[in-house]
Amino acid sequence: MHSVSVKNLTLKFGSAEVLKNLNLDVEEGEFIVLLGPSGCGKSTLLNCLAGLLELSEGQIHIKGKNVTWAEPSERGIGMVFQSYALYPQMTVRGNMSFGLKIAGLPKAEIAKRVERASEILQIGPLLDRKPGALSGGQRQRVAIGRALVREVDVFLFDEPLSNLDAKLRSELRVELKRLHNRLKNTMIYVTHDQIEALTLADRIAIMRGGIIQQLDAPQTIYNRPANLFVAGFIGSPAMNFIKGATVDGGKRFTFGDVSLDLAGYEGGAILDRPKAIIGLRPEHLTMVDAAIPGHTIPAVVEIDEPMGADSLVWLLAEGRQMSVRVPVEHRPAPGKLVHLRVDIAKASLFDETNELRI
Amino acid sequence: MSNTSPSVVPSGAKPKPFITPQRVLVYTVLTICAVFFLFPLYIMIITSLKNIQEIQSGNIFIPTMTPTLDAWEKAWNSACTGLYCEGVKVGFWNSIKITVPSTIVSIIVASLTGYSMANWPFKFSEVFFTILLLSSFIPYVVMIYPLVIITRELGIYSTLPAVVLVHTIFGLPLLTLLFRNYFASLPQELFKAARVDGAGYWQIFFQVFAPMSVPIFTVAVILQVTGIWNDFLFGVIYAGPTNYPMTVQLNNIVNSAQGGKAYNVDMAATILTGLVPLAIYFFSGKYFVRGIAAGAVKG
Ligand SMILES: Nc1ncnc2c1ncn2[C@@H]1O[C@H](COP(=O)(O)OP(=O)(O)O)[C@@H](O)[C@H]1O
Ligand SMILES: [Mg+2]
């Protein structure tokens, strides 16, 4: 039995189809991240799961029960919003117990749950304050607490960290991971931040234009992007794309005067494709002094951007801009001719016509 | 180096000249407005404190040396409207009886309608909104006669309920717009959070939205109380002589031709009539501005 199951979901706002025949199965206790550029329908999907939007077509099942027509409060979900959405006139305690009071839980039970949630989230000292007197991080903790006290199976997060500054964001990110390890609930988490996705997710669903492009473990998404969009979206600095062709029955990739040996590529049948793209991550290239035929690309150093531990070097290869990540002590001088060694096992090949990974 | 003398080291806030063209303009306009409204009030107050001989012999601009509240007492208790000599107090209580229920009913209905339109969209709610918007521009004079017939058919013409009903109806379009815009400007996620918490239509309204809406309710109360209190036309038409509001009574007192004109009594009665809206603005001006800024701007 899946914890959450979305079947053929279509959602239209008027005539605009925001989600298109979407299917998604989430396992019990899984941490799923919906990742995609803004406007791709992530929040819309989450709102559908929560019961805050009416589906145009399709079904939603939670814990094996068809909840397509159920009220948000009947679905066994808790939700955390980007803007915290705390009730400004109520204290922290009031915010956390509001839903429980409406559900008619006995006072003692409410107190016990609030106690437990505030202990987990370390917001005990704040219980009698109003949201206005809290910092952003504290507010988001309270918002998480409000979902926690519901003791539900599924948590929905809509960009919960996006309003926080960088330091707090990374702190709370770790805390969320810890929370998931402790509670083992199913969590569905929306973000446009790939670092959050890569660090938190058991599986990432990459979305674009209302369609899930790829649903896989973070490492798979990172190493074997299913298409050009995913490849370009994941990874910072972005993957280098070079247009060329595969020749010799799929044994070599050529562009300009460069020819790369494709032996060891992990993927499908390469074949001869006149329009192909090779994707090379900056961290999968190494700078060497001498050319190795079939394994290196000659390039001239333009500039470098030191980033603390390592440095991002920008080069020109056959008139194309490329970037390489190197240890900071290996920074080359601008203008120098170097050779970029390609690890073909970590490269990705795409067919330019359908943009799919080969 | 251009406008500071060499001995002054620029540091911290830059000193600004006290008299600037903007300030002169702003203060001139404000002063003119203040004089325009305060001067008549000044004349009324000093006149109401004089006795009738002083009014007839003295200068209208000069206050009396022997102020008396006789005119005020007379205006409140015993000024004549032609038939009765019971002062404006009768009208005062009538106005209270008209204003309080009209204000309460119209605000309750309008806030719920506005809340429904903003947060619980129903089929045709946008059409409904447009109709409402347009109807607030229809001159209400065209509806007076139909409403006379309607209230007559309802059997309430010339009674308190009739005038309350009419005030409620005419207050609704504007108030509903006001509330709808205010509720639409509240964060949508708050509404969603309350839905997830299991709160329904009434619980969200009373427990989440209403406590956040004090400014807009204040604006609505001010608009309704002043509007209804100042009304003359509906009072004359629908209330019936025994329920005439204070404005109508004031008119009857000022226009009743018995002996010489008692200017001091007329002035006192006028000020008494205007006192309620004046007091409301005075004590809630801050909330009024805040509420207008919060609610009316966003659409
Ligand atoms: N209530 C609405 N009415 C019409 N269009 C909407 C509405 N809500 C969202 N959209 C559109 O749906 C698309 C997806 O929105 P959303 O799910 O919020 O994106 P995101 O992935 O950034 O969360 C956007 O193009 C947005 O303009
Ligand atoms: Mg969003």
Side-chain angles (χ1 to χ4, degrees):
Chain A
M1 185 179 69
H2 298 297
S3 176
V4 176
S5 184
V6 179
K7 299 182 200 287
N8 304 318
L9 189 163
T10 295
L11 187 121
K12 297 178 189 148
F13 288 119
S15 59
E17 242 184 22
V18 173
L19 298 174
K20 292 157 196 151
N21 194 26
L22 189 142
N23 286 283
L24 177 67
D25 288 323
V26 181
E27 303 304 326
E28 192 76 49
E30 204 176 10
F31 200 126
I32 286 272
V33 173
L34 303 174
L35 176 66
S38 119
C40 71
K42 309 178 295 286
S43 300
T44 306
L45 175 54
L46 212 62
N47 282 322
C48 289
L49 291 175
L52 296 166
L53 277 176
E54 203 156 304
L55 315 192
S56 308
E57 282 161 42
Q59 301 178 352
I60 289 169
H61 296 243
I62 294 178
K63 283 224 134 190
K65 213 173 98 204
N66 186 337
V67 295
T68 311
W69 290 345
E71 282 295 305
S73 54
E74 301 164 350
R75 297 187 172 210
I77 52 125
M79 190 157 176
V80 177
F81 299 89
Q82 176 176 351
S83 65
Y84 323 126
L86 298 176
Y87 312 122
Q89 317 292 328
M90 302 181 198
T91 60
V92 168
R93 191 192 307 278
N95 266 279
M96 285 165 69
S97 46
F98 182 62
L100 305 182
K101 272 188 206 147
I102 287 176
L105 260 65
K107 273 211 171 88
E109 173 68 15
I110 295 178
K112 204 183 86 196
R113 289 195 191 185
V114 170
E115 186 65 32
R116 174 168 176 269
S118 61
E119 180 256 317
I120 292 176
L121 295 162
Q122 298 166 0
I123 49 175
L126 311 176
L127 280 178
D128 293 314
R129 290 209 209 153
K130 295 258 177 82
L134 303 179
S135 71
Q138 291 170 330
R139 281 182 211 183
Q140 199 52 289
R141 254 174 230 174
V142 175
I144 295 171
R146 188 171 58 182
L148 224 57
V149 292
R150 295 173 55 77
E151 303 199 340
V152 289
D153 306 308
V154 181
F155 284 130
L156 307 175
F157 295 92
D158 193 352
E159 311 221 13
L161 308 183
S162 294
N163 278 8
L164 304 174
D165 62 51
K167 185 163 176 291
L168 259 175
R169 197 160 18 183
S170 54
E171 279 173 25
L172 262 168
R173 200 170 67 209
V174 177
E175 251 178 76
L176 273 175
K177 190 150 192 166
R178 212 173 277 143
L179 189 70
H180 181 240
N181 282 343
R182 173 167 177 179
L183 301 176
K184 303 257 187 307
N185 295 50
T186 307
M187 296 195 173
I188 302 182
Y189 186 106
V190 162
T191 182
H192 65 265
D193 181 327
Q194 51 172 303
I195 303 297
E196 278 171 31
L198 291 167
T199 51
L200 289 171
D202 293 324
R203 282 193 299 161
I204 299 176
I206 305 240
M207 289 182 64
R208 176 203 201 182
I211 295 171
I212 294 183
Q213 304 282 312
Q214 185 171 8
L215 173 62
D216 261 317
Q219 277 313 305
T220 316
I221 298 240
Y222 182 78
N223 289 324
R224 307 231 184 296
N227 60 34
L228 215 50
F229 172 78
V230 174
F233 192 76
I234 281 279
S236 172
M239 188 183 258
N240 297 296
F241 293 116
I242 305 171
K243 289 187 185 181
T246 56
V247 295
D248 292 350
K251 290 208 169 56
R252 315 187 68 77
F253 180 87
T254 60
F255 66 99
D257 294 335
V258 182
S259 168
L260 292 173
D261 187 352
L262 293 180
Y265 176 71
E266 297 180 9
I270 300 173
L271 310 176
D272 275 359
R273 296 177 205 246
K275 278 179 164 286
I277 294 175
I278 193 165
L280 303 165
R281 292 209 181 275
E283 51 273 39
H284 294 160
L285 292 167
T286 39
M287 253 186 315
V288 292
D289 289 329
I292 310 168
H295 297 280
T296 57
I297 304 170
V300 177
V301 177
E302 271 199 320
I303 49 167
D304 75 332
E305 299 179 281
M307 297 182 171
D310 46 23
S311 179
L312 190 68
V313 180
W314 291 89
L315 315 98
L316 273 181
E318 296 280 333
R320 296 166 180 83
Q321 263 209 337
M322 292 187 66
S323 60
V324 181
R325 202 193 278 255
V326 298
V328 83
E329 59 272 18
H330 291 173
R331 291 163 59 191
K336 189 181 171 200
L337 175 74
V338 297
H339 299 272
L340 305 177
R341 189 186 168 119
V342 176
D343 183 354
I344 211 70
K346 288 180 174 163
S348 295
L349 279 170
F350 303 94
D351 191 323
E352 201 184 329
T353 46
N354 59 14
E355 304 201 338
L356 294 180
R357 184 185 164 92
I358 299 169
Chain B
M1 280 302 110
S2 55
N3 52 5
T4 47
S5 66
S7 62
V8 180
V9 179
S11 162
K14 186 174 172 182
K16 293 177 184 63
F18 184 72
I19 297 175
T20 62
Q22 300 97 303
R23 274 198 202 187
V24 171
L25 185 70
V26 166
Y27 280 101
T28 311
V29 170
L30 288 181
T31 310
I32 292 173
C33 288
V35 169
F36 184 80
F37 285 104
L38 285 179
F39 191 65
L41 189 64
Y42 163 78
I43 302 277
M44 288 171 71
I45 292 174
I46 60 166
T47 308
S48 72
L49 296 174
K50 293 175 185 173
N51 63 38
I52 205 78
Q53 288 80 21
E54 277 181 293
I55 293 172
Q56 281 159 354
S57 58
N59 185 322
I60 186 171
F61 299 113
I62 299 170
T64 170
M65 290 298 117
T66 53
T68 161
L69 285 175
D70 288 353
W72 289 73
E73 202 274 337
K74 187 153 182 256
W76 181 252
N77 279 323
S78 60
C80 295
T81 60
L83 290 176
Y84 311 100
C85 291
E86 293 173 351
V88 287
K89 68 169 189 291
V90 184
F92 177 83
W93 293 114
N94 283 344
S95 277
I96 295 272
K97 279 186 257 174
I98 295 169
T99 306
V100 171
S102 308
T103 302
I104 292 175
V105 174
S106 60
I107 287 179
I108 289 176
V109 175
S111 59
L112 285 172
T113 318
Y115 161 68
S116 306
M117 287 169 66
N119 292 96
W120 300 87
F122 45 93
K123 215 172 188 160
F124 307 125
S125 53
E126 290 303 302
V127 177
F128 192 66
F129 175 64
T130 313
I131 293 174
L132 209 60
L133 199 67
L134 292 178
S135 66
S136 30
F137 293 108
I138 298 176
Y140 56 62
V141 180
V142 304
M143 288 182 266
I144 286 181
Y145 187 55
L147 274 168
V148 168
I149 297 174
I150 290 171
T151 48
R152 192 190 63 206
E153 292 305 310
L154 290 172
I156 53 172
Y157 179 67
S158 243
T159 65
L160 210 54
V163 72
V164 167
L165 178 73
V166 171
H167 278 304
T168 303
I169 290 173
F170 280 103
L172 284 182
L174 184 70
L175 285 187
T176 308
L177 283 183
L178 200 70
F179 278 107
R180 180 210 167 269
N181 287 356
Y182 183 82
F183 290 129
S185 76
L186 294 179
Q188 269 304 299
E189 294 196 335
L190 207 58
F191 178 74
K192 291 181 179 174
R195 293 275 318 274
V196 172
D197 267 338
Y201 182 90
W202 298 105
Q203 282 158 328
I204 294 178
F205 182 76
F206 283 112
Q207 298 186 40
V208 180
F209 280 5
M212 301 175 65
S213 309
V214 176
I216 204 69
F217 277 99
T218 313
V219 168
V221 168
I222 294 171
L223 282 179
Q224 283 303 82
V225 169
T226 53
I228 296 169
W229 194 274
N230 288 335
D231 161 72
F232 181 86
L233 194 61
F234 296 160
V236 166
I237 299 172
Y238 301 100
T242 46
N243 300 313
Y244 276 162
M246 206 170 181
T247 47
V248 178
Q249 281 228 314
L250 173 68
N251 174 65
N252 293 352
I253 288 171
V254 172
N255 287 337
S256 72
Q258 288 186 344
K261 271 240 166 278
Y263 288 109
N264 49 358
V265 176
D266 292 352
M267 297 293 179
T270 307
I271 297 172
L272 282 171
T273 307
L275 222 47
V276 167
L278 213 59
I280 291 218
Y281 279 127
F282 201 75
F283 290 114
S284 57
K286 193 173 68 181
Y287 293 100
F288 186 69
V289 173
R290 207 183 287 167
I292 286 283
V297 182
K298 276 196 187 172

